[in-house]
Amino acid sequence: LGYLVWRARRASASARAARPVRLRLLFGSTTGSSEKWARHTEAELQKHLQLAGAQAEVHIENLETFDFDSILEKGVGQCADIVVVMLSTHSEGLPPPSCSHFCTLLDDHVHDFRVGKTALSHLNFAVLGFGSSDYEEAGHFCTAAMQVDAGFAALSARRLLPVGRVSDTRDADSQVTPWLERLSELVMRLSQGLEVEHDPTGNAEDLGLGDGDYSDGESASTSVGSDASQDRGADPADLEDLHEDGCATGGASKGKKEVREMVTKQHREQLTKEGYKIIGTHSAVKLCRWTKHQLRGRGGCYKHTFYGITSYECMEATPSLACANKCTFCWRHHKNPTGTEWKWKMDDPLEIVAEGVELHRKMIRECKGIPGVKPDRLEAAMTIKHCALSLVGEPIMYPRINELVDELHRRKISTFLVTNAQFPEAIENLRPITQLYVSVDAGTKESLKAVDRPIFTDFWDRYLSSLKALEQKQQRTVYRLTLVKDQNMSDIPGYAKLVALGKPDFIEIKSVTFCGESKASTLTMGNVPWHEEVKVFGEKMLSYENLDSEYELACEHQHSCIILLANKRFKIDGKWHTWIDYDKFHGLVEKGERAGLGFAAMDYSAPTPDWALYGSQEKGFDPQEKRVFHNRTKRRAKEGKLSEEQLRMYPSNPADS
């Protein structure tokens, strides 16, 4: 009887102590990752609260449409009012554009003398940010989330947990789950009317550092509206996209860091879904669409036109999926890792090449069933003769790049390597390759920062040093300009000035490739220059800095919206020699290795066919191939729905094909 009385009294006390809970989950995102975790959190909290029989309302809402004034209103009665914000970071440490108004209003309330400093004292809150710890040095690691956290605290809201920072350099589940478990415990205590210990410090918590590795340093939070995040160098895109592996506490971690794999589970899933074949822990190959085109006799890529490669004998690969930029025009939509130095496990270069070759051949064999594939070309494609080290990421970042290049050359595979001009020392130390490219994406520091969104704070100095390093190379060198309308086409004189730094053999000027709509990119077809616009750009560029005395328009490939400016020394007796004698190149490499002799770009040049020349009737399309137009294009041409500007993009009217 005494036990039953005790049970009854305890139940009665619990009933009196229980409090209704109003919990609002708010997310701010560009690509959807914050929303994904907000919905996961909603489901988890709903489950725990229902099992406990708690009286609770859990709502989820996008900050884009959220009514800010609603957080100023106190809940009814003794309601435990909780707000959880999950937020990514956009360029310059700013919040995603879709929710910038929320952050602006919060900032206004913090600094408005008419708003009481206890305006949010009725709220309990927690903030979770998504970003990349690679941007911490630049001051942009979950900056927006930290500013929101500081804003809530400045208005006397009670912080349940330190602001969590999820980094894309580690698996997201292992970071978010512990944070969510702690949040659930606190929410349950509030629903039971129990006291919780609030965190007064504002120290950020880096969730991916592991037990015992949290920083005990000063607060890393910044007040809302602070200029502390400005002018510090980097420009990450929507940093949450790659959130994969750790929530952080504002300072450097203690102890020895583990050597982890570059490609996380999410990276691997995303890249595999898009057709990449992942090699080991940091490399990949993918079959280029031009390989498939030329297998069917439908034309080769611009490198076939400019340099004489055979597209169906070319392998597209990278030994480093990581990059030090987050370019606005990245055709991989930022699904690869980022970094400024090699900090991952390192695979053997010979194994990378061997597996890459095997995976490429496997993809070639899978083309056998494609209608129109020519049997002789399919057989020839099994012997790889060229490798474009430009797939995604920064190939030259791989510390053993020279060994990898040597192995390709040993297999008689030519090398075309593209670097993003952020690793000048690696360029200086690079052994001879067939052709070395440097991406020249802007003519000014401000434009480069806006377009490439580099991680390095000294990105401009690295850019200029990379161009200067190019001049020291004896083999073929190229500036590659990718034109994005309304972003980097206005400063033609700036580009012309940069030519003097590297004195490249060739300058490729191409239109940006539009890869479809993506939440990670704001590019549209309106940002894609027509071929005629690319030609005008090249012609104008030659008129600055006396470039026309050294360079001339040599080739074009209308199909790819690209033109080639070549140094006049490649015009021998009135005939352009932009093509490459690949057999001679490999002979020079072997001779150089045996005798320690160097060789120069002119030593393996070859004549350029007339159809590849600038202004030719073929506009760079090999006459041995057949141009095939999409059925939609032919239909629109026959219906007269193609403009004159569009028709000029084709060597002939698609309606006549």
mmCIF file of all heavy atoms in Angstrom, residues 263 268 276-286 315-319 321 347-360 391 404:
data_model
loop_
_atom_site.group_PDB
_atom_site.id
_atom_site.type_symbol
_atom_site.label_atom_id
_atom_site.label_comp_id
_atom_site.label_asym_id
_atom_site.label_seq_id
_atom_site.Cartn_x
_atom_site.Cartn_y
_atom_site.Cartn_z
ATOM 1 N N VAL A 263 38.596 11.181 -49.836
ATOM 2 C CA VAL A 263 37.219 11.035 -50.297
ATOM 3 C C VAL A 263 36.360 10.443 -49.189
ATOM 4 O O VAL A 263 36.569 9.301 -48.772
ATOM 5 C CB VAL A 263 37.153 10.146 -51.557
ATOM 6 C CG1 VAL A 263 35.712 9.995 -52.031
ATOM 7 C CG2 VAL A 263 38.009 10.753 -52.668
ATOM 8 N N ARG A 268 32.204 10.136 -52.248
ATOM 9 C CA ARG A 268 32.259 8.939 -53.086
ATOM 10 C C ARG A 268 30.902 8.659 -53.721
ATOM 11 O O ARG A 268 30.803 8.346 -54.915
ATOM 12 C CB ARG A 268 32.727 7.739 -52.257
ATOM 13 C CG ARG A 268 33.053 6.493 -53.066
ATOM 14 C CD ARG A 268 33.586 5.384 -52.163
ATOM 15 N NE ARG A 268 34.897 5.722 -51.620
ATOM 16 C CZ ARG A 268 36.042 5.458 -52.227
ATOM 17 N NH1 ARG A 268 36.047 4.846 -53.401
ATOM 18 N NH2 ARG A 268 37.194 5.780 -51.673
ATOM 19 N N TYR A 276 31.880 9.043 -62.162
ATOM 20 C CA TYR A 276 33.298 8.946 -61.834
ATOM 21 C C TYR A 276 33.619 7.543 -61.332
ATOM 22 O O TYR A 276 32.833 6.943 -60.604
ATOM 23 C CB TYR A 276 33.679 9.952 -60.748
ATOM 24 C CG TYR A 276 33.580 11.392 -61.182
ATOM 25 C CD1 TYR A 276 32.373 12.074 -61.117
ATOM 26 C CD2 TYR A 276 34.691 12.073 -61.655
ATOM 27 C CE1 TYR A 276 32.277 13.393 -61.517
ATOM 28 C CE2 TYR A 276 34.607 13.391 -62.050
ATOM 29 C CZ TYR A 276 33.386 14.046 -61.981
ATOM 30 O OH TYR A 276 33.300 15.348 -62.381
ATOM 31 N N LYS A 277 34.774 7.056 -61.716
ATOM 32 C CA LYS A 277 35.280 5.798 -61.190
ATOM 33 C C LYS A 277 36.404 6.155 -60.207
ATOM 34 O O LYS A 277 37.468 6.639 -60.617
ATOM 35 C CB LYS A 277 35.812 4.907 -62.312
ATOM 36 C CG LYS A 277 34.805 4.644 -63.434
ATOM 37 C CD LYS A 277 33.559 3.921 -62.939
ATOM 38 C CE LYS A 277 32.605 3.637 -64.098
ATOM 39 N NZ LYS A 277 31.350 3.012 -63.636
ATOM 40 N N ILE A 278 36.131 5.966 -58.927
ATOM 41 C CA ILE A 278 37.083 6.358 -57.900
ATOM 42 C C ILE A 278 38.216 5.348 -57.818
ATOM 43 O O ILE A 278 37.992 4.141 -57.757
ATOM 44 C CB ILE A 278 36.394 6.489 -56.526
ATOM 45 C CG1 ILE A 278 35.174 7.410 -56.630
ATOM 46 C CG2 ILE A 278 37.375 7.014 -55.490
ATOM 47 C CD1 ILE A 278 35.488 8.817 -57.074
ATOM 48 N N ILE A 279 39.445 5.863 -57.805
ATOM 49 C CA ILE A 279 40.641 5.035 -57.698
ATOM 50 C C ILE A 279 41.229 5.233 -56.305
ATOM 51 O O ILE A 279 41.592 6.354 -55.929
ATOM 52 C CB ILE A 279 41.690 5.441 -58.748
ATOM 53 C CG1 ILE A 279 41.108 5.370 -60.168
ATOM 54 C CG2 ILE A 279 42.932 4.576 -58.636
ATOM 55 C CD1 ILE A 279 42.004 5.994 -61.215
ATOM 56 N N GLY A 280 41.323 4.166 -55.544
ATOM 57 C CA GLY A 280 41.912 4.276 -54.213
ATOM 58 C C GLY A 280 41.177 5.268 -53.344
ATOM 59 O O GLY A 280 39.951 5.257 -53.240
ATOM 60 N N THR A 281 41.933 6.199 -52.746
ATOM 61 C CA THR A 281 41.346 7.133 -51.788
ATOM 62 C C THR A 281 41.310 8.580 -52.252
ATOM 63 O O THR A 281 40.724 9.421 -51.565
ATOM 64 C CB THR A 281 42.139 7.085 -50.464
ATOM 65 O OG1 THR A 281 43.480 7.560 -50.692
ATOM 66 C CG2 THR A 281 42.183 5.683 -49.892
ATOM 67 N N HIS A 282 41.919 8.891 -53.428
ATOM 68 C CA HIS A 282 41.928 10.305 -53.816
ATOM 69 C C HIS A 282 41.995 10.556 -55.322
ATOM 70 O O HIS A 282 42.162 11.711 -55.742
ATOM 71 C CB HIS A 282 43.100 11.040 -53.146
ATOM 72 C CG HIS A 282 44.449 10.403 -53.378
ATOM 73 N ND1 HIS A 282 45.117 10.483 -54.567
ATOM 74 C CD2 HIS A 282 45.240 9.686 -52.538
ATOM 75 C CE1 HIS A 282 46.270 9.852 -54.466
ATOM 76 N NE2 HIS A 282 46.380 9.346 -53.238
ATOM 77 N N SER A 283 41.857 9.534 -56.139
ATOM 78 C CA SER A 283 41.979 9.702 -57.590
ATOM 79 C C SER A 283 40.714 9.236 -58.296
ATOM 80 O O SER A 283 39.859 8.573 -57.698
ATOM 81 C CB SER A 283 43.189 8.912 -58.110
ATOM 82 O OG SER A 283 44.353 9.235 -57.382
ATOM 83 N N ALA A 284 40.611 9.559 -59.586
ATOM 84 C CA ALA A 284 39.414 9.162 -60.332
ATOM 85 C C ALA A 284 39.659 9.235 -61.834
ATOM 86 O O ALA A 284 40.565 9.932 -62.310
ATOM 87 C CB ALA A 284 38.236 10.057 -59.958
ATOM 88 N N VAL A 285 38.851 8.506 -62.575
ATOM 89 C CA VAL A 285 38.788 8.601 -64.035
ATOM 90 C C VAL A 285 37.317 8.712 -64.423
ATOM 91 O O VAL A 285 36.423 8.319 -63.671
ATOM 92 C CB VAL A 285 39.417 7.379 -64.751
ATOM 93 C CG1 VAL A 285 40.906 7.325 -64.516
ATOM 94 C CG2 VAL A 285 38.750 6.088 -64.301
ATOM 95 N N LYS A 286 37.089 9.267 -65.590
ATOM 96 C CA LYS A 286 35.731 9.350 -66.119
ATOM 97 C C LYS A 286 35.819 9.386 -67.631
ATOM 98 O O LYS A 286 36.750 9.987 -68.193
ATOM 99 C CB LYS A 286 35.015 10.605 -65.606
ATOM 100 C CG LYS A 286 33.543 10.669 -65.995
ATOM 101 C CD LYS A 286 32.879 11.938 -65.453
ATOM 102 C CE LYS A 286 31.399 11.941 -65.821
ATOM 103 N NZ LYS A 286 30.721 13.187 -65.378
ATOM 104 N N MET A 315 42.434 9.345 -72.097
ATOM 105 C CA MET A 315 41.873 9.044 -70.776
ATOM 106 C C MET A 315 41.832 10.329 -69.956
ATOM 107 O O MET A 315 42.828 11.034 -69.827
ATOM 108 C CB MET A 315 42.731 7.995 -70.060
ATOM 109 C CG MET A 315 42.321 7.715 -68.618
ATOM 110 S SD MET A 315 43.294 6.392 -67.829
ATOM 111 C CE MET A 315 44.896 7.210 -67.627
ATOM 112 N N GLU A 316 40.692 10.631 -69.389
ATOM 113 C CA GLU A 316 40.544 11.809 -68.533
ATOM 114 C C GLU A 316 40.650 11.358 -67.078
ATOM 115 O O GLU A 316 39.897 10.488 -66.643
ATOM 116 C CB GLU A 316 39.215 12.505 -68.790
ATOM 117 C CG GLU A 316 39.138 13.894 -68.195
ATOM 118 C CD GLU A 316 37.896 14.650 -68.633
ATOM 119 O OE1 GLU A 316 36.918 14.001 -69.048
ATOM 120 O OE2 GLU A 316 37.897 15.881 -68.544
ATOM 121 N N ALA A 317 41.581 11.946 -66.323
ATOM 122 C CA ALA A 317 41.846 11.450 -64.974
ATOM 123 C C ALA A 317 42.353 12.559 -64.069
ATOM 124 O O ALA A 317 42.689 13.659 -64.521
ATOM 125 C CB ALA A 317 42.876 10.317 -65.026
ATOM 126 N N THR A 318 42.423 12.269 -62.783
ATOM 127 C CA THR A 318 43.053 13.158 -61.810
ATOM 128 C C THR A 318 43.613 12.336 -60.659
ATOM 129 O O THR A 318 42.977 11.370 -60.225
ATOM 130 C CB THR A 318 42.072 14.205 -61.256
ATOM 131 O OG1 THR A 318 42.771 15.056 -60.335
ATOM 132 C CG2 THR A 318 40.911 13.549 -60.514
ATOM 133 N N PRO A 319 44.803 12.687 -60.160
ATOM 134 C CA PRO A 319 45.346 12.006 -58.977
ATOM 135 C C PRO A 319 44.950 12.719 -57.686
ATOM 136 O O PRO A 319 45.320 12.281 -56.599
ATOM 137 C CB PRO A 319 46.850 12.082 -59.208
ATOM 138 C CG PRO A 319 47.023 13.379 -59.925
ATOM 139 C CD PRO A 319 45.805 13.544 -60.800
ATOM 140 N N LEU A 321 41.400 14.624 -56.199
ATOM 141 C CA LEU A 321 40.043 15.153 -56.329
ATOM 142 C C LEU A 321 39.878 16.463 -55.560
ATOM 143 O O LEU A 321 38.909 17.187 -55.765
ATOM 144 C CB LEU A 321 39.038 14.120 -55.819
ATOM 145 C CG LEU A 321 38.807 12.924 -56.747
ATOM 146 C CD1 LEU A 321 38.194 11.759 -55.990
ATOM 147 C CD2 LEU A 321 37.921 13.325 -57.923
ATOM 148 N N ASP A 347 48.102 7.395 -51.986
ATOM 149 C CA ASP A 347 48.182 6.154 -52.738
ATOM 150 C C ASP A 347 49.419 6.144 -53.627
ATOM 151 O O ASP A 347 49.938 7.195 -54.022
ATOM 152 C CB ASP A 347 46.928 5.974 -53.598
ATOM 153 C CG ASP A 347 45.657 5.885 -52.761
ATOM 154 O OD1 ASP A 347 45.755 5.437 -51.608
ATOM 155 O OD2 ASP A 347 44.583 6.256 -53.263
ATOM 156 N N ASP A 348 49.879 4.962 -53.970
ATOM 157 C CA ASP A 348 51.060 4.787 -54.810
ATOM 158 C C ASP A 348 50.760 5.221 -56.249
ATOM 159 O O ASP A 348 49.739 4.825 -56.817
ATOM 160 C CB ASP A 348 51.497 3.321 -54.788
ATOM 161 C CG ASP A 348 52.765 3.103 -55.580
ATOM 162 O OD1 ASP A 348 53.850 3.241 -55.000
ATOM 163 O OD2 ASP A 348 52.660 2.805 -56.793
ATOM 164 N N PRO A 349 51.613 6.033 -56.874
ATOM 165 C CA PRO A 349 51.345 6.515 -58.241
ATOM 166 C C PRO A 349 51.263 5.404 -59.278
ATOM 167 O O PRO A 349 50.463 5.500 -60.222
ATOM 168 C CB PRO A 349 52.520 7.460 -58.517
ATOM 169 C CG PRO A 349 53.579 7.071 -57.542
ATOM 170 C CD PRO A 349 52.850 6.600 -56.325
ATOM 171 N N LEU A 350 52.060 4.364 -59.131
ATOM 172 C CA LEU A 350 52.008 3.266 -60.097
ATOM 173 C C LEU A 350 50.675 2.543 -60.018
ATOM 174 O O LEU A 350 50.108 2.133 -61.042
ATOM 175 C CB LEU A 350 53.162 2.293 -59.841
ATOM 176 C CG LEU A 350 54.582 2.866 -59.874
ATOM 177 C CD1 LEU A 350 55.602 1.743 -59.787
ATOM 178 C CD2 LEU A 350 54.804 3.699 -61.128
ATOM 179 N N GLU A 351 50.159 2.402 -58.796
ATOM 180 C CA GLU A 351 48.857 1.751 -58.621
ATOM 181 C C GLU A 351 47.739 2.625 -59.164
ATOM 182 O O GLU A 351 46.759 2.120 -59.725
ATOM 183 C CB GLU A 351 48.632 1.444 -57.141
ATOM 184 C CG GLU A 351 49.592 0.397 -56.579
ATOM 185 C CD GLU A 351 49.392 0.166 -55.093
ATOM 186 O OE1 GLU A 351 48.500 0.820 -54.496
ATOM 187 O OE2 GLU A 351 50.138 -0.654 -54.509
ATOM 188 N N ILE A 352 47.871 3.935 -59.002
ATOM 189 C CA ILE A 352 46.853 4.852 -59.530
ATOM 190 C C ILE A 352 46.776 4.728 -61.048
ATOM 191 O O ILE A 352 45.691 4.616 -61.623
ATOM 192 C CB ILE A 352 47.177 6.309 -59.134
ATOM 193 C CG1 ILE A 352 47.050 6.495 -57.623
ATOM 194 C CG2 ILE A 352 46.244 7.277 -59.860
ATOM 195 C CD1 ILE A 352 47.513 7.859 -57.133
ATOM 196 N N VAL A 353 47.936 4.746 -61.698
ATOM 197 C CA VAL A 353 47.960 4.640 -63.162
ATOM 198 C C VAL A 353 47.410 3.293 -63.614
ATOM 199 O O VAL A 353 46.577 3.222 -64.531
ATOM 200 C CB VAL A 353 49.388 4.855 -63.702
ATOM 201 C CG1 VAL A 353 49.431 4.569 -65.206
ATOM 202 C CG2 VAL A 353 49.853 6.274 -63.422
ATOM 203 N N ALA A 354 47.855 2.226 -62.978
ATOM 204 C CA ALA A 354 47.426 0.882 -63.384
ATOM 205 C C ALA A 354 45.913 0.717 -63.249
ATOM 206 O O ALA A 354 45.245 0.215 -64.171
ATOM 207 C CB ALA A 354 48.144 -0.168 -62.545
ATOM 208 N N GLU A 355 45.368 1.147 -62.114
ATOM 209 C CA GLU A 355 43.924 1.005 -61.912
ATOM 210 C C GLU A 355 43.146 1.957 -62.809
ATOM 211 O O GLU A 355 42.084 1.610 -63.322
ATOM 212 C CB GLU A 355 43.566 1.255 -60.446
ATOM 213 C CG GLU A 355 42.107 0.944 -60.134
ATOM 214 C CD GLU A 355 41.771 1.031 -58.664
ATOM 215 O OE1 GLU A 355 42.707 1.174 -57.836
ATOM 216 O OE2 GLU A 355 40.575 0.968 -58.326
ATOM 217 N N GLY A 356 43.701 3.157 -63.029
ATOM 218 C CA GLY A 356 43.042 4.117 -63.908
ATOM 219 C C GLY A 356 42.925 3.590 -65.325
ATOM 220 O O GLY A 356 41.875 3.706 -65.971
ATOM 221 N N VAL A 357 44.011 3.003 -65.817
ATOM 222 C CA VAL A 357 44.018 2.433 -67.166
ATOM 223 C C VAL A 357 42.994 1.303 -67.270
ATOM 224 O O VAL A 357 42.234 1.209 -68.243
ATOM 225 C CB VAL A 357 45.424 1.929 -67.530
ATOM 226 C CG1 VAL A 357 45.382 1.052 -68.779
ATOM 227 C CG2 VAL A 357 46.367 3.113 -67.737
ATOM 228 N N GLU A 358 42.952 0.442 -66.266
ATOM 229 C CA GLU A 358 42.025 -0.679 -66.293
ATOM 230 C C GLU A 358 40.572 -0.205 -66.240
ATOM 231 O O GLU A 358 39.711 -0.716 -66.965
ATOM 232 C CB GLU A 358 42.311 -1.624 -65.130
ATOM 233 C CG GLU A 358 41.440 -2.887 -65.132
ATOM 234 C CD GLU A 358 41.478 -3.637 -66.452
ATOM 235 O OE1 GLU A 358 42.572 -3.748 -67.051
ATOM 236 O OE2 GLU A 358 40.402 -4.101 -66.900
ATOM 237 N N LEU A 359 40.285 0.774 -65.405
ATOM 238 C CA LEU A 359 38.922 1.301 -65.303
ATOM 239 C C LEU A 359 38.507 1.993 -66.602
ATOM 240 O O LEU A 359 37.364 1.879 -67.046
ATOM 241 C CB LEU A 359 38.812 2.276 -64.132
ATOM 242 C CG LEU A 359 38.832 1.659 -62.732
ATOM 243 C CD1 LEU A 359 38.930 2.739 -61.667
ATOM 244 C CD2 LEU A 359 37.573 0.811 -62.512
ATOM 245 N N HIS A 360 39.448 2.707 -67.215
ATOM 246 C CA HIS A 360 39.149 3.370 -68.488
ATOM 247 C C HIS A 360 38.834 2.334 -69.568
ATOM 248 O O HIS A 360 37.868 2.488 -70.330
ATOM 249 C CB HIS A 360 40.326 4.244 -68.917
ATOM 250 C CG HIS A 360 40.111 4.942 -70.225
ATOM 251 N ND1 HIS A 360 39.404 6.117 -70.346
ATOM 252 C CD2 HIS A 360 40.502 4.600 -71.490
ATOM 253 C CE1 HIS A 360 39.358 6.478 -71.614
ATOM 254 N NE2 HIS A 360 40.034 5.581 -72.331
ATOM 255 N N LEU A 391 40.515 16.306 -64.873
ATOM 256 C CA LEU A 391 39.138 15.848 -64.654
ATOM 257 C C LEU A 391 38.401 16.712 -63.642
ATOM 258 O O LEU A 391 37.344 17.275 -63.910
ATOM 259 C CB LEU A 391 39.158 14.388 -64.197
ATOM 260 C CG LEU A 391 37.804 13.736 -63.916
ATOM 261 C CD1 LEU A 391 36.963 13.698 -65.168
ATOM 262 C CD2 LEU A 391 38.009 12.327 -63.369
ATOM 263 N N LEU A 404 53.954 9.842 -61.040
ATOM 264 C CA LEU A 404 52.778 9.459 -61.823
ATOM 265 C C LEU A 404 52.965 9.819 -63.292
ATOM 266 O O LEU A 404 52.660 9.026 -64.191
ATOM 267 C CB LEU A 404 51.535 10.149 -61.245
ATOM 268 C CG LEU A 404 50.204 9.778 -61.901
ATOM 269 C CD1 LEU A 404 49.127 9.543 -60.842
ATOM 270 C CD2 LEU A 404 49.728 10.884 -62.852
#
